[in-house]
Amino acid sequence: MKTAPTLHTERLILRSLTLEDAADIQHLAGEYDVASTLSNMPHPYGDGMAEEWIHSCYNKYKKDKALNFAVTLRTDRHLIGGIELRLDRGNENGELGYWIGKPYWNRGYCTEAARIVVAYSFEVLMLNRIYAQYFKRNAASGRVLEKIGMCYEGCLRQHTKKWDNFEDLMRYGMLKTDFNSLAPISS
Ligand SMILES: CC(C)(COP(=O)(O)OP(=O)(O)OC[C@H]1O[C@@H](n2cnc3c(N)ncnc32)[C@H](O)[C@@H]1OP(=O)(O)O)[C@@H](O)C(=O)NCCC(=O)NCCS
């Protein structure tokens, strides 16, 4: 069972999720500060929820609806986060979503992971457009999208209700014609 192909970057290996990842995901994604800026991350993150979610990722991959990568460190293979590409094959586009465990923030890991997934999307999946959205208060996510070369496309005011608060949603995107590959994809 697979949820994604394997991709290598300088410091990371992005690979398919397995059920053995469930405990790490529950631990890292279960942190309040990780869940708080994700529209559909459960909190508290109870037993069995990660396994259920991994199963849903298998199904989405099988139906060509999404790729879900475990983001792991090259050095010790430790899982540090997750990245998803939701596919809309009819419109040849994909939506990027990601999280990194709090102990690993601000070391460039999300940028490195997002960059290779974007490259894979344009060069291997042959998509025409990739986009992403984040809560306006989540400046770190906006910075990641700027660093990978996405353009600001607009703000959907109070678009999402998260834990009883309406959140402004910032939308960023990139077309295949905007994309300059820096290096060939290593998989
Ligand atoms: C958003 C998130 C994925 C970023 O992961 P990360 O690995 O720390 O990201 P990177 O290190 O690649 O880049 C973060 C950038 O944001 C900057 N940053 C961090 N906090 C910031 C803040 N409060 N204001 C402005 N910039 C900030 C960092 O300095 C860095 O930019 P720099 O390289 O120019 O210095 C991570 O914070 C996270 O998982 N948050 C919870 C889940 C989430 O919000 N996911 C995204 C939903 S859209």
Side-chain angles (χ1 to χ4, degrees), residues 96 114-123 130 148 150 174 179:
L96 203 61
R115 200 172 264 146
I116 189 80
V117 174
V118 166
Y120 185 82
S121 304
F122 289 130
E123 294 178 351
I130 305 294
I148 64 171
M150 284 200 183
M174 180 190 250
F179 175 72

Side-chain angles (χ1 to χ4, degrees), residues 55-106:
H55 274 295
S56 78
C57 296
Y58 289 142
N59 288 331
K60 283 187 269 180
Y61 184 74
K62 213 164 50 189
K63 292 181 186 157
D64 203 27
K65 295 281 184 206
L67 310 183
N68 269 278
F69 298 89
V71 178
T72 68
L73 295 177
R74 254 185 197 244
T75 45
D76 58 8
R77 302 293 197 260
H78 209 82
L79 185 146
I80 63 161
I83 182 158
E84 179 176 51
L85 180 72
R86 285 181 278 276
L87 295 168
D88 177 349
R89 290 288 193 177
N91 291 308
E92 296 180 33
N93 72 39
E95 180 182 359
L96 203 61
Y98 41 73
W99 63 270
I100 296 290
K102 200 169 175 189
Y104 307 97
W105 284 6
N106 296 325

Side-chain angles (χ1 to χ4, degrees), residues 33-39 96-102 104-112 133-135 137-145 147:
D33 287 342
V34 172
S36 147
T37 45
L38 288 163
S39 52
L96 203 61
Y98 41 73
W99 63 270
I100 296 290
K102 200 169 175 189
Y104 307 97
W105 284 6
N106 296 325
R107 299 190 211 172
Y109 289 138
C110 187
T111 304
E112 197 167 316
Q133 39 200 14
Y134 66 91
F135 297 162
R137 64 186 164 88
N138 188 4
S141 187
R143 184 74 192 115
V144 168
L145 298 176
K147 285 195 288 180

